[in-house]
């Protein structure tokens, strides 16, 4: 039971990642593929964030331990925990994964924009965004020995 | 709750509910064949994960996910399905089999590996006890700003953030190379606002937008300069500023917006943002430090001459916080420029393209 | 590195910051290129900043020869808090390779862009190219696992669109670029997952720090998973067989500038990062990594060298032949590394250098001819040797090196590989190399036969000699192919120093 509780987050996040990977691989529609890719990327971020959560912690914005908020947090976590894991009397969650995932989210949106831009051009050049149809069109043209520039 | 149970606190129920919601949303995206539903579910996914991130104490990330994931990504996806039109073809059973096996296999490896992971929420795990904790302990001394995430983002790992800004700039270049800047939309006199229909029907909308746009822009600057103290910073502010421009385009028409914020101007600002960021780094080198070492942002003799009433008295214990403060502020400004300008450029690319997309059902002759 | 020990390319104040400037130079160049008024300016900025990068790489070569390893702390924060650049002899080898190929490609691009990309997009194209250069240079210099991901993406995001820009001549560039984007991003995400597991196990992102802490963990599942995901992720980026499906299309249909630059550098930079993880972070002495190298990496590399050579022999289009051959040649490099001795690794690196040089030559020759010529298949190139003798002679030099004819760079590196596999008792590798070389003779021979021994069909479009601006960088590259075939002391000393830095004094 306890192993289920303590690792529930990781497993749930992995299910999300694999959901994204499955959407990405199972479809031939380019925009849907980008959606799957976006889910895959962002849920990887959720994995990092899960690693950085500290029980009884708060966001990594320094608080005064004697302030009302600091007191409330300390009461919830318990004095022993605060003494062991707190920084100047307050327990914080780990800021490093947050920073890394901020970067990863931005990289994700950049990939999404470029990927969709290419998909839009593909639609203009081929009249479709289904991978199978694009391949079929290319096969016909390549067999005929002619290659067409995009409009 | 009376006692403290390691790995278990009051938020765990909320955490579990939100994660299950996310799983359901992803399942729904996998099941739907309607592109519009998939895109809207995707926006929902971002929103729910933003809420989950707040539960995980990741306020800055939640903010970014909300504005980037639920905001910009959704706009770009909507633009893309408008330009590519149509439902996804049904996926045949055979086509599903292999991806399912692959995803299950990779998932099984991952779950096998997680068995060795430290318990969720364990404050003594290597991830939380080593470098993560060191940042919390050192930030007060090194930088003297309350938001440790901002400190790590813009100073300790400021080089990563430079790379990230460059990635955004690269996306602007990529989209512009693919779709252009919407120059054709600007040249075309017959274009109507994206919102559709004659503008007269939208008096209320226009008045409301006129009120809203300055407030949104103002909020962007609040988020920008509040980043040292609370959640926020250049990325979030940049996206919000871009949203003000996009709202203008939706209500008043793309042409009017392009006349106000010229595509060429946006492209220039995107480059200037990166230049500002890298320039700060080089300035630190010129003044005797390492790249991006804000402690050396100002030459020593100039720093000594700054009167106390401008910056407050220098703290003898760590006299160079000014450099850190100014450095962080300046690079966040660079980030703001690049992000806002890039988002506008991407929007122009997609929105400008919608006017020249081929008609559905009439693929180009060469494609037949 | 004996060659560079007494080599001072810049004043010490500048040399001290060479690691940062190596990356920041092209980065600033990219911004200025994006702001520049016309394509001429952008081209000059592109050439200027790549030459600046070569200069900085040379400064680093001198420093590394004197100090062994150059560390540079970004923001003045020592690891594990800050991001550190860590450049050893192997890193210098890669930095020299990336920067000099980028300079040759930039020189070449002046003419190529006019023919291949809309003039309104030249400035952006140069900016994207410089971002890609900066990303790869950062990738080979960084000592931080997550920073490497950022640079991987810096170099990739622009690349996707630049490859897709090949649509103007060949619309197949679009699906190829899209496919590359999907595969590249899956690879990068796998890498991030792997780094996440290593971070969970060690609590740090600095590679040297991870290495020091991984040793104490023993056979942790987290470390194994981290290892597996990093290798698969980077294997995708490096087009390691059988994850190479995206490469032929992406290289064959890209604009020739990207084609030249990527084929010589991009997969090799990803390979370099993988090698740093294999040898620098996971010791080859540990059972897991060792078994992986001997039972997975080696056989896959052998399969790549044979199967992709066969595919190359059956392709009809020039660039696709060369692209498949690239995957096969990466197989050689991996063969050398999988043996696990210093001599074999240095042979692998020598082949890496030689292959970068000859592929750049070959693609530049094809691209140079194709500036005013729409032919792309072997039949189209019939008789090109008569119509464009200078360009095609350079092509022949590159092709000879690809086959491994004596007096070319490719001969010596293959010879060293064979020596190393014999010394390690891996006879099957010798057989693989021999078979693959015969296949190379077949596919390169087909190309040369079409160019020099066939005559153009009457009425067919004729190839034209490449302009002088193309011939100069082309013959510089071809000249190196020959020079390193005759006197290989420079690349060999670089490769040996790199292998020694990597293996840390093992046999």
């Amino acid at each position: 039971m306890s192993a289920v509780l303590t690792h529930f987050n990781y497993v749930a996040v992995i299910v999300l990642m694999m959901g994204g990977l499955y959407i990405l691989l199972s479809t031939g529609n380019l925009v849907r593929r980008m959606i799957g890719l976006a889910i895959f990327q962002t849920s990887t971020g959720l994995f990092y964030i899960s690693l950085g959560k500290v029980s009884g912690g708060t966001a990594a914005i320094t608080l005064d331990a004697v302030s009302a908020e600091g007191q409330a947090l300390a009461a919830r976590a318990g004095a022993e925990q605060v003494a062991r894991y707190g920084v100047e009397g307050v327990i914080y969650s780990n800021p490093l994964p947050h920073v890394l995932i901020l970067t990863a989210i931005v990289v994700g949106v950049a990939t999404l924009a470029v990927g969709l831009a290419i998909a839009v051009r593909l639609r203009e050049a081929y009249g479709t965004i289904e991978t199978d149809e694009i391949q079929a069109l290319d096969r016909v043209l390549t067999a005929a020995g002619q290659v067409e520039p995009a409009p | 709750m009376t006692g403290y149970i390691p790995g278990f606190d009051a938020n765990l129920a909320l955490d579990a509910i939100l994660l299950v919601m996310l799983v359901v949303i992803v399942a729904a995206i996998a099941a739907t064949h309607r592109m519009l539903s998939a895109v809207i579910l995707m926006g929902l996914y971002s929103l729910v994960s933003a809420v989950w991130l707040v539960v995980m104490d990741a306020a800055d990330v939640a903010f970014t996910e909300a504005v980037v994931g639920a905001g910009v990504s959704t706009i770009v996806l909507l633009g893309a399905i408008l330009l590519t039109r149509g439902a996804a073809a049904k996926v045949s059973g055979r086509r599903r089999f292999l991806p399912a096996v692959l995803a299950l296999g990779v998932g099984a490896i991952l779950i096998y590996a997680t068995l060795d992971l430290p318990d969720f929420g364990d404050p003594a795990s290597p991830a939380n006890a080593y470098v993560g904790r060191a940042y919390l302990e050192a930030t007060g001394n090194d930088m003297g700003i309350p938001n440790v995430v901002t400190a790590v983002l813009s100073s300790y790992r400021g080089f990563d953030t430079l790379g990230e800004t460059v990635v955004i700039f690269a996306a602007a270049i990529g989209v512009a190379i693919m779709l252009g800047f919407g120059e054709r939309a600007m040249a075309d006199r017959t274009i109507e606002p994206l919102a559709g229909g004659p503008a007269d029907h939208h008096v209320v909308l226009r008045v409301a937008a006129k009120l809203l746009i300055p407030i949104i822009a103002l909020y962007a600057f609040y988020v920008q300069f509040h980043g040292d103290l609370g959640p926020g910073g250049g990325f979030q502010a940049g996206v919000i500023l871009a949203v003000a421009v996009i709202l203008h385009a939706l209500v008043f028409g793309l042409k009017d917006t392009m006349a106000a914020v010229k595509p060429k101007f946006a492209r220039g600002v995107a480059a200037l943002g990166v230049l500002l960021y890298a320039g700060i780094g080089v300035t630190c080198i010129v003044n005797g430090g390492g790249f991006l070492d804000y402690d050396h942002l100002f030459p020593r003799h100039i720093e000594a001459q700054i009167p106390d009433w401008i910056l407050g008295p220098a703290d003898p214990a760590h006299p160079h916080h000014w450099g850190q403060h100014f450095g962080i502020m300046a690079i966040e400004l660079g980030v703001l420029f690049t992000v806002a300008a890039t988002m506008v450029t991407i929007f122009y690319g997609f929105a400008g393209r919608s006017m020249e997309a081929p008609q559905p059902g009439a693929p180009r002759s060469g494609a037949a | 590195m004996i060659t560079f020990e007494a080599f001072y390319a810049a004043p010490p104040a500048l040399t001290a910051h060479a690691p940062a400037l190596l990356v920041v130079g092209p980065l600033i160049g990219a911004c200025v290129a994006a702001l520049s008024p016309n394509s001429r300016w952008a081209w000059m900025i592109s050439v200027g900043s790549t030459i600046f990068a070569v200069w900085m790489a040379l400064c680093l070569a001198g420093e590394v020869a004197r100090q062994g390893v150059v560390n540079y702390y970004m923001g003045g924060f020592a690891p594990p808090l800050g991001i550190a650049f860590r450049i050893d002899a192997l890193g210098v080898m890669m930095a020299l390779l990336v920067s000099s190929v980028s300079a040759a490609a930039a020189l070449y691009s002046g003419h190529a862009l006019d023919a291949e990309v809309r003039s309104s997009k030249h400035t952006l194209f140069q900016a994207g190219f410089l971002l890609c250069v900066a990303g790869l240079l950062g990738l080979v210099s960084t000592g931080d696992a997550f920073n490497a991901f950022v640079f991987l993406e810096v170099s990739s995001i622009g690349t996707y669109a630049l490859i897709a820009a090949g649509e103007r001549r060949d619309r197949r560039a679009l699906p190829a670029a899209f496919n590359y984007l999907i595969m590249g991003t899956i690879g990068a995400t796998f890498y991030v997952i792997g780094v996440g597991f290593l971070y969970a196990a060690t609590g740090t992102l600095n590679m040297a720090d991870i290495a020091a802490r991984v040793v104490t963990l023993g056979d942790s599942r987290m470390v194994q998973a981290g290892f597996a995901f990093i290798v698969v992720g980077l294997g995708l980026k490096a087009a390691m067989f059988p994850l190479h499906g995206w490469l032929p299309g992406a290289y064959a249909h890209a604009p020739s500038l990207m084609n030249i630059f990527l084929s010589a550098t991009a997969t090799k930079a990803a390979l370099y990062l993988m090698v740093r993880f294999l040898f620098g972070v996971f010791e080859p002495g540990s059972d897991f990594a060792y078994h992986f190298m001997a039972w997975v990496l080696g056989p896959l590399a052998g399969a790549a060298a044979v199967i992709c050579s066969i595919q190359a022999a059956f392709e009809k289009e020039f660039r696709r032949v060369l692209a498949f051959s690239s995957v096969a040649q990466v197989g050689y490099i991996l063969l050398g590394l999988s043996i696990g001795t210093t001599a074999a690794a240095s042979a692998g690196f020598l082949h890496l250098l030689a292959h970068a040089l000859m592929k750049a030559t070959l693609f530049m020759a094809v691209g140079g001819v194709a500036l005013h010529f729409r032919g792309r298949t072997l039949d189209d190139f019939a008789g090109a040797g008569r119509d464009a003798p200078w360009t095609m002679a350079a092509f022949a030099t590159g092709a000879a090196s690809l086959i491994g004819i004596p007096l070319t760079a490719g001969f010596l590196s293959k010879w060293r590989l064979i020596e190393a596999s014999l010394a390690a008792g891996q006879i099957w590798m010798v057989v693989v190399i021999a078979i693959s070389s015969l296949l190379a003779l077949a596919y390169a021979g087909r190309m040369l036969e079409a160019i020099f021994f066939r005559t153009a069909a009457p009425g067919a479009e004729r190839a034209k000699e490449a302009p002088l601006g193309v011939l100069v960088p082309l013959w510089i590259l071809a000249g190196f192919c020959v020079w390193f075939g005759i006197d290989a002391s420079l690349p060999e000393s670089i490769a040996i120093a790199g292998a020694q830095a990597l293996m840390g004094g093992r046999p």
Side-chain angles (χ1 to χ4, degrees):
Chain A
M1 182 63 196
S2 79
V4 175
L5 272 184
T6 53
H7 286 70
F8 172 75
N9 259 56
Y10 303 133
V11 175
V13 169
I14 288 168
V15 170
L16 290 178
M17 285 195 242
M18 293 310 119
L21 196 59
Y22 170 75
I23 294 173
L24 157 66
L25 294 174
S26 67
T27 179
N29 181 297
L30 303 186
V31 176
R32 259 176 84 82
R33 293 191 127 193
M34 288 312 297
I35 291 180
L37 195 66
I39 294 174
F40 185 42
Q41 280 184 298
T42 43
S43 50
T44 306
L46 305 189
F47 174 65
Y48 271 67
I49 300 290
S50 292
L51 289 175
K53 168 71 182 166
V54 173
S55 297
T58 183
I61 298 167
T62 23
L63 279 175
D64 207 340
V66 294
S67 68
E69 210 184 338
Q71 300 277 2
L73 280 166
R76 214 173 70 197
E80 189 204 343
Q81 292 289 319
V82 173
R84 274 177 69 185
Y85 301 117
V87 176
E88 288 172 19
V90 185
I91 297 180
Y92 299 102
S93 280
N94 185 351
L96 181 53
H98 302 177
V99 173
L100 303 180
I101 294 322
L102 265 172
T103 307
I105 289 176
V106 173
V107 169
V109 75
T111 315
L112 185 72
V114 173
L116 290 175
I118 296 176
V120 167
R121 288 293 294 142
L122 259 166
R123 157 81 199 207
E124 291 173 11
Y126 285 80
T128 176
I129 52 165
E130 292 295 330
T131 315
D132 299 344
E133 294 173 22
I134 293 168
Q135 280 170 353
L137 285 171
D138 269 345
R139 222 170 292 133
V140 173
L141 275 181
T142 314
Q146 37 175 255
V147 177
E148 165 157 340
Chain B
M1 251 199 308
T2 47
Y4 176 83
I5 307 167
F8 196 95
D9 73 9
N11 286 332
L12 199 65
L14 198 51
D15 164 51
I17 291 169
L18 289 169
L19 280 174
V20 170
M21 277 174 75
L22 287 176
V23 172
V24 171
I25 293 170
V26 170
I29 295 175
T32 183
H33 290 288
R34 297 162 64 97
M35 289 313 297
L36 188 60
S37 324
V39 170
I40 289 171
L41 284 169
M42 189 64 209
L44 190 63
Y45 174 86
S46 288
L47 271 184
V48 174
S49 59
V51 177
W52 180 82
L53 288 165
V54 173
V55 176
M56 291 289 111
D57 305 329
D60 279 275
V61 189
F63 200 164
T64 313
E65 180 66 36
V67 292
V68 171
V72 173
S73 295
T74 311
I75 292 174
V76 176
L77 275 167
L78 283 173
I81 58 169
L82 183 74
L83 293 173
T84 54
R85 271 170 279 237
K90 289 234 178 212
V91 184
S92 71
R94 233 180 82 231
R95 180 113 194 225
R96 283 174 179 223
F97 180 68
L98 205 63
V101 170
L102 198 69
L104 284 175
V106 176
I109 297 172
L110 281 169
I111 289 175
Y112 165 80
T114 52
L115 295 179
D116 269 3
L117 280 180
D119 290 353
F120 172 67
D122 181 3
S125 70
N128 294 334
Y130 181 35
V131 180
R133 191 184 160 90
Y135 285 126
L136 288 163
E137 285 166 351
T139 296
N141 255 327
D142 287 345
M143 266 138 251
I145 62 171
N147 190 345
V148 183
V149 174
T150 301
V152 179
L153 188 80
S154 6
S155 193
Y156 290 115
R157 293 187 71 88
F159 194 62
D160 258 359
T161 309
L162 172 62
E164 181 187 356
T165 315
V166 173
V167 167
I168 279 289
F169 178 50
I173 291 178
V175 173
I177 285 180
M178 282 289 95
L179 301 180
F181 296 101
E183 308 95 331
R184 289 180 223 182
M186 214 155 79
D188 188 347
R189 295 183 180 281
T190 63
I191 292 170
E192 293 189 0
L194 259 189
D200 287 331
H201 294 180
H202 298 297
V203 178
V204 179
L205 201 59
R206 277 189 290 148
V207 172
K210 268 195 178 150
L211 283 172
L212 265 176
I213 288 169
I215 295 176
I216 294 176
L218 199 64
Y219 180 60
F221 285 101
Y222 167 76
V223 170
Q224 170 80 20
F225 292 108
H226 197 249
D228 289 5
L229 310 172
F235 282 104
Q236 295 94 331
V239 176
I240 293 170
L241 198 58
V243 165
V245 177
I246 292 171
L247 181 65
H248 187 276
L250 291 178
V251 176
F252 298 96
L254 191 59
K255 259 192 91 169
D256 281 7
T257 313
M258 282 188 172
V261 182
K262 294 202 169 56
K264 208 163 189 179
F265 172 76
R267 171 173 73 169
V269 171
L272 273 179
V274 179
L275 264 186
L276 174 60
Y277 201 143
I280 293 286
V282 174
T283 309
C284 298
I285 290 184
V286 171
N287 290 330
F291 186 70
L292 288 174
D293 185 352
Y294 310 135
D295 286 337
H296 294 267
L297 186 58
F298 302 114
R300 288 278 180 271
H301 59 279
I302 289 184
E303 198 173 331
Q305 281 169 12
I306 300 176
D308 281 355
W309 57 267
I310 295 183
L311 300 160
D315 184 346
H318 12 85
H320 298 307
H321 281 176
W322 301 340
Q324 290 287 347
H325 281 294
F326 274 82
I328 290 172
M329 210 187 280
I331 64 114
E332 290 268 10
L333 208 60
V335 173
L336 171 87
F337 286 168
T338 300
V339 171
T342 296
M343 295 304 162
V344 170
T345 303
I346 290 174
F347 174 76
Y348 282 172
F350 280 90
R353 206 73 190 180
S354 65
M355 317 309 172
E356 47 190 291
Q359 291 304 305
R364 289 170 4 84
S365 55
Chain C
M1 217 188 295
I2 299 157
T3 335
F4 290 105
E5 210 136 62
F7 187 68
Y8 293 90
L14 192 61
T15 306
H17 295 290
L21 295 176
L22 175 72
V23 180
V24 176
L27 204 60
I28 291 180
C31 299
V32 179
L35 290 169
S36 61
N38 59 41
S39 99
R40 196 99 206 124
W41 275 96
W43 176 69
M44 283 178 350
I45 290 159
S46 185
V47 171
S49 21
T50 48
I51 288 176
F52 177 79
V54 174
W55 181 31
M56 287 298 117
L58 286 172
C59 290
L60 275 174
E63 279 305 287
V64 168
R66 287 183 286 274
Q67 298 176 17
V69 177
V70 171
N71 284 299
Y72 188 88
Y73 300 154
M74 293 297 164
F77 297 105
L81 284 194
I83 293 170
F85 267 21
R86 184 188 173 281
I87 303 164
D88 56 15
L90 187 58
V92 161
M93 180 186 102
M94 293 303 298
L96 280 171
L97 174 70
V98 172
S99 55
S100 40
V101 171
S102 74
L107 269 177
Y108 162 84
S109 71
H111 285 278
L113 285 193
D114 290 340
E116 293 174 358
V117 181
R118 277 193 194 89
S119 59
S120 60
K121 289 177 179 161
H122 284 186
T123 54
L124 286 176
F125 202 94
Q126 293 287 10
F129 167 68
L130 286 174
L131 287 183
C132 183
V133 174
L136 290 179
L137 287 171
L139 187 63
V140 300
S141 322
T142 189
D144 188 280
F146 197 83
N147 192 235
F149 161 71
V150 173
F151 277 117
L152 208 56
E153 292 294 291
V154 168
S155 65
S156 301
I157 300 252
T159 307
Y160 303 139
L162 297 190
I163 288 177
E167 63 169 350
R168 190 149 178 241
R169 323 187 90 194
D170 179 351
R171 66 176 181 176
R172 285 176 298 173
L174 289 167
F178 191 86
N179 197 22
Y180 179 26
L181 180 135
I182 296 279
M183 290 305 151
T185 309
I186 293 179
T189 309
F190 267 51
Y191 175 78
V192 171
I193 295 173
V195 171
F197 274 106
L198 291 185
Y199 174 66
T202 62
T204 178
L205 293 166
N206 183 275
M207 287 193 216
D209 206 14
I210 294 176
R213 289 170 165 254
V214 155
V215 181
T216 62
L217 288 171
D219 267 350
S220 155
R221 284 177 194 166
M222 286 186 278
V223 177
Q224 290 173 1
F227 177 79
F229 276 85
I230 286 174
V231 168
V232 173
L234 293 177
L236 257 169
K237 282 271 186 192
M240 203 172 89
F241 185 86
L243 306 171
H244 66 284
W246 58 267
L247 184 140
Y251 283 11
H253 308 311
S256 56
L257 165 63
M258 292 317 282
N259 190 214
I260 293 161
F261 180 63
L262 293 177
S263 65
T265 58
T267 54
K268 294 176 180 72
L271 200 63
Y272 160 83
L273 188 61
M274 191 200 293
V275 163
R276 277 198 64 180
F277 269 98
L278 282 174
F279 292 89
V281 178
F282 313 98
E283 289 279 299
S286 87
D287 278 0
F288 192 70
Y290 180 78
H291 287 308
F292 171 78
M293 305 241 307
W295 296 105
V296 181
L297 202 58
L300 282 181
V306 175
I307 294 172
C308 291
S309 297
I310 294 175
Q311 279 175 301
F314 282 97
E315 278 294 334
K316 288 197 190 74
E317 289 180 43
F318 248 82
R319 290 193 189 177
R320 288 185 71 88
V321 174
L322 295 175
F324 272 109
S325 136
S326 280
V327 184
Q329 303 283 323
V330 168
Y332 286 167
I333 301 166
L334 281 170
L335 269 183
L337 292 168
S338 71
I339 294 174
T341 61
T342 306
S346 76
F349 293 141
L350 187 63
H351 195 70
L352 189 151
L353 292 174
H355 176 243
L357 209 54
M358 59 206 182
K359 266 302 149 51
T361 312
L362 289 166
F363 275 122
M364 199 181 276
V366 176
V369 168
L371 290 181
H372 307 287
F373 174 55
R374 294 177 54 82
R376 55 185 80 241
T377 65
L378 291 173
D379 294 337
D380 293 339
F381 272 77
R386 213 157 305 151
D387 299 325
W390 283 102
T391 322
M392 284 302 129
F395 183 90
T397 314
S401 181
L402 194 63
I403 302 167
I405 291 174
L407 294 186
T408 58
F411 169 74
L412 186 77
S413 57
K414 274 189 192 173
W415 185 249
R416 289 278 183 269
L417 270 174
I418 291 174
E419 276 180 355
S421 29
L422 282 177
Q426 308 272 24
I427 305 298
W428 67 274
M429 286 192 186
V430 182
V431 177
V432 164
I433 293 172
I435 293 175
S436 175
S437 296
L438 281 177
L439 288 164
L441 184 62
Y443 63 72
R446 275 177 74 214
M447 294 193 284
L448 292 175
E449 188 255 341
I451 292 171
F452 292 104
F453 299 111
R454 275 201 264 166
T455 43
E461 194 188 350
R462 304 292 286 263
K464 257 190 228 151
E465 188 74 86
L468 194 64
V470 172
L471 281 178
V472 169
L474 176 62
W475 270 102
I476 292 175
L477 288 172
F480 274 117
C481 272
V482 176
W483 178 28
F484 290 163
I486 297 166
D487 174 16
S489 56
L490 178 67
E492 254 200 316
S493 74
I494 294 177
I496 290 172
Q500 281 166 349
L502 185 71
M503 309 293 281
R506 279 183 290 272

